[in-house]
Amino acid sequence: CMDSIYANSSETIRSKCRFQAEFARACLLCGDIYAGLQMVKIFVKKGLPFSDCDNILLEGLSEANCNEECLRLFHRIREAQKTDRSITLFPHGYSSIVRSACRLKRQKLAEEMMQTMRNKGMRPLEYAYFELCSVV
């Protein structure tokens, strides 16, 4: 199915970063972890300059239970933010980090992300609260 979607999309659409991030997320969710992770690596090599794509990738990794990879990507995004202030995490990106941190029993990181969202006036997605409750 994923191969068919990719093959039937125009080159113009396939070349868009957002499509590539959503496709990586879909691969991860369909169980094609290898393909999804390969696409994440491509974004990492580009320096993670696209906030919307970065957040989509975090979400996909977390949803696919690739929790270590989600946190690794988060730390890479944090490093990239030091040199590119335009890179931003959104509520679904932060919430994905909370979910992965909780699944890995990293309560301190999860609470730090929740506090960061509060400080930025962001509201976590509902599942972030449920995940946090599971480790508290």
Side-chain angles (χ1 to χ4, degrees):
C1 180
M2 295 304 297
D3 291 339
S4 176
I5 291 169
Y6 194 82
N8 289 304
S9 300
S10 70
E11 182 58 38
T12 304
I13 291 172
R14 283 194 307 252
S15 68
K16 294 185 184 291
C17 290
R18 174 121 190 186
F19 173 85
Q20 293 169 9
E22 289 287 4
F23 190 79
R25 178 181 177 205
C27 287
L28 291 164
L29 292 174
C30 289
D32 192 350
I33 304 298
Y34 179 78
L37 291 176
Q38 292 304 310
M39 294 182 81
V40 170
K41 285 181 184 180
I42 292 169
F43 279 93
V44 170
K45 286 180 184 175
K46 290 179 183 177
L48 303 164
F50 309 107
S51 297
D52 56 340
C53 297
D54 299 344
N55 285 271
I56 291 166
L57 296 172
L58 287 167
E59 197 169 24
L61 290 166
S62 179
E63 289 170 332
N65 212 22
C66 297
N67 300 305
E68 290 287 350
E69 292 84 355
C70 179
L71 297 185
R72 219 177 344 264
L73 180 61
F74 163 63
H75 291 296
R76 287 188 170 122
I77 291 169
R78 240 188 196 168
E79 282 299 310
Q81 286 175 321
K82 291 178 182 176
T83 56
D84 186 347
R85 297 265 185 221
S86 69
I87 299 172
T88 306
L89 288 177
F90 306 130
H92 64 281
Y94 279 116
S95 296
S96 298
I97 296 161
V98 169
R99 177 174 34 211
S100 287
C102 289
R103 288 179 179 170
L104 294 169
K105 307 295 186 220
R106 296 185 187 162
Q107 182 179 347
K108 184 179 176 183
L109 176 60
E111 290 174 348
E112 177 187 319
M113 293 299 100
M114 295 292 271
Q115 184 60 47
T116 299
M117 282 190 276
R118 276 192 290 278
N119 293 345
K120 293 178 179 263
M122 293 180 184
R123 184 176 177 163
L125 300 183
E126 193 173 89
Y127 68 80
Y129 294 107
F130 299 134
E131 293 287 347
L132 193 55
C133 287
S134 72
V135 294
V136 174

